Amino acid sequence: MPELSDCRTSLLTGHWFAGLPARLQDALVSQARPLNLAAGECLFRRGDPPCGLYAVIEGAVRVGVSAENGKEALLALVEPPHWFGEICLFDGQPRTHDAFAEGPTQLLNVPQAALQKMLEAEPAWWREFAQLMSQKLRLAFIALEEMSLLPAPQRLARRLLMIAEGYGETSGRRRVIHLAQEQLALMLAVSRQTTNQILKELEAQGVVHLNYGEIEILDLVGLRQAARL
């Protein structure tokens, strides 16, 4: 696990953490506990009690839920330097989804009790955590709207753009997205066959290049055109 000073440097590449008051940054880092997960290891399950706030330092966390009929809904792959788990901080209710390490993953965990003590001492900091949650809520509304109104090819192109741009949390844009086609299909609630067909069409147009477990963006303008943005 990297030193906490190195973790802080990584976290500062995210807009949310970088925009926090310095004292709140200090408080989060000082209360954080390092946590290493092996590939496929469970962080928490739907219905588990609140366990604090998490930041991804390396690797990724798969957040979703599995139904009794075997179907899976994948909401997101949470990658560095994103924070997650804030809903339970507000309502104290059980976890809403399952979270598993996508590969070897390194996290920071600020326990629930430490967060509550922090906020009792500094109630003004609630606003910062509300902002973190509102960012996720905004993305959720966008996804619901797109699922209702847009055809699958347009939704897929928009999701690739959002992932490449770190869902608005990071500056710059990634050229290579490490994401399996099956995972992308789960995010969009379409079949893997449909996802593969759309990606193959984008590849034939020179917009993307497909490798095993990753999608390389070759033509950003072309992808934005496919997304109708």
Side-chain angles (χ1 to χ4, degrees), residues 84-112:
F84 66 100
E86 70 280 355
I87 292 177
C88 293
L89 174 62
F90 281 86
D91 61 13
Q93 296 298 306
R95 290 295 183 188
T96 58
H97 295 88
D98 304 328
F100 288 84
E102 180 63 16
T105 301
Q106 297 176 346
L107 306 166
L108 290 181
N109 169 229
V110 184
Q112 188 86 349

Side-chain angles (χ1 to χ4, degrees), residues 29-47:
V29 173
S30 66
Q31 294 294 327
R33 307 179 306 186
L35 180 63
N36 292 322
L37 297 180
E41 187 173 351
C42 178
L43 179 61
F44 54 75
R45 290 184 180 275
R46 185 176 191 173

Side-chain angles (χ1 to χ4, degrees), residues 66-85:
S66 297
E68 292 182 358
N69 60 7
K71 290 186 177 181
E72 180 183 359
L74 179 61
L75 298 186
L77 283 177
V78 187
E79 299 177 294
H82 285 264
W83 293 76
F84 66 100

Side-chain angles (χ1 to χ4, degrees), residues 2 16 26 35 55 64 79 82 86-87 110 128 131 137 148-149 157 162 208:
W16 181 74
D26 293 340
L35 180 63
E79 299 177 294
H82 285 264
E86 70 280 355
I87 292 177
V110 184
E128 312 300 337
Q131 185 178 27
L137 187 59
S148 299
L149 301 177
M162 289 178 70
V208 302

Side-chain angles (χ1 to χ4, degrees), residues 112-148:
Q112 188 86 349
L115 288 167
Q116 291 172 338
K117 186 175 181 180
M118 214 183 288
L119 290 164
E120 286 172 5
E122 297 285 350
W125 287 349
W126 274 109
R127 180 183 180 277
E128 312 300 337
F129 293 100
Q131 185 178 27
L132 178 64
M133 188 166 65
S134 69
Q135 292 169 355
K136 312 281 182 60
L137 187 59
R138 183 181 296 272
L139 291 171
F141 282 151
I142 290 172
L144 286 172
E145 178 183 330
E146 291 179 349
M147 190 171 294
S148 299

Side-chain angles (χ1 to χ4, degrees), residues 198-213:
I198 297 170
L199 288 172
K200 288 291 187 182
E201 291 174 356
L202 289 173
E203 187 173 43
Q205 296 165 17
V207 174
V208 302
H209 176 64
L210 305 178
N211 294 310
Y212 180 76

